[in-house]
Amino acid sequence: MQNYPTPDFEQKIVAPADLAAHLAALPKPVVFTNGCFDILHRGHVTYLAQARALGGSLVVALNTDASVRRLGKGDDRPINPLENRAAVMASLESVTLVTWFDEDTPLNLIEMVQPDVLVKGGDWAPEAMVGSREVLARGGAVHSIPFRFATSTTQTLQKIRGA
């Protein structure tokens, strides 16, 4: 039987406790975003590519499964567990590192990473983004990237379920 190597992208998945050791090597400026990214779709990958274009590297922080459930997206969410979401996210060319957070917000991670650029999707006003005040106070930038495609995980699930 053939033994196949672990894909290189798995090395992009870094536990929060190990993140500090990887930050100094990241190309600058560092861009940070976060979210559930439960069922990856065209809107997500377009957004992530646009976010990455704002800097030298992109750190994506995923909500843990418990954190997703606390967001009230539905009793059966996330559809994909954290390990699977992290692997799919890490496989994207635009993503430099993937980590996760269990708190209700990524503020602790944002303070650890100290990104030069903070990014969220177009449904977030910059002043409403967790960590925006801290990033701006350090001289960084905050961006709300407009949606280019009318798609969402919730809409996809409704279609699958025939709702």
Side-chain angles (χ1 to χ4, degrees):
M1 180 159 82
Q2 178 72 33
N3 186 11
Y4 297 98
T6 301
D8 288 343
F9 68 76
E10 296 276 352
Q11 296 174 15
K12 294 182 184 180
I13 303 170
V14 178
D18 300 327
L19 195 58
H22 295 264
L23 294 175
L26 293 181
K28 306 291 189 253
V30 173
V31 180
F32 181 97
T33 193
N34 66 279
C36 302
F37 298 102
D38 191 2
I39 298 176
L40 214 56
H41 53 70
R42 185 177 186 184
H44 287 140
V45 298
T46 300
Y47 161 76
L48 292 165
Q50 291 173 315
R52 169 62 177 75
L54 295 171
S57 58
L58 175 61
V59 176
V60 178
L62 300 174
N63 293 75
T64 62
D65 297 350
S67 177
V68 172
R69 284 190 286 275
R70 288 193 306 271
L71 291 174
K73 289 181 175 275
D75 294 339
D76 61 348
R77 300 283 301 276
I79 300 297
N80 292 302
L82 176 62
E83 297 78 19
N84 293 352
R85 291 183 285 124
V88 170
M89 184 64 65
S91 74
L92 298 175
E93 180 182 2
S94 59
V95 175
T96 310
L97 280 182
V98 178
T99 192
W100 57 88
F101 62 100
D102 192 47
E103 300 85 5
D104 290 340
T105 76
L107 185 58
N108 290 336
L109 270 181
I110 292 168
E111 286 298 289
M112 180 191 306
V113 173
Q114 296 208 353
D116 303 293
V117 183
L118 179 66
V119 181
K120 289 290 283 180
D123 55 341
W124 285 88
E127 60 274 5
M129 291 180 206
V130 169
S132 64
R133 186 172 38 238
E134 291 79 2
V135 170
L136 291 170
R138 285 194 314 273
V142 177
H143 295 269
S144 177
I145 297 178
F147 295 131
R148 291 193 57 205
F149 302 98
T151 183
S152 74
T153 300
T154 300
Q155 290 171 341
T156 301
L157 288 172
Q158 288 172 343
K159 186 174 183 178
I160 290 168
R161 294 173 176 145

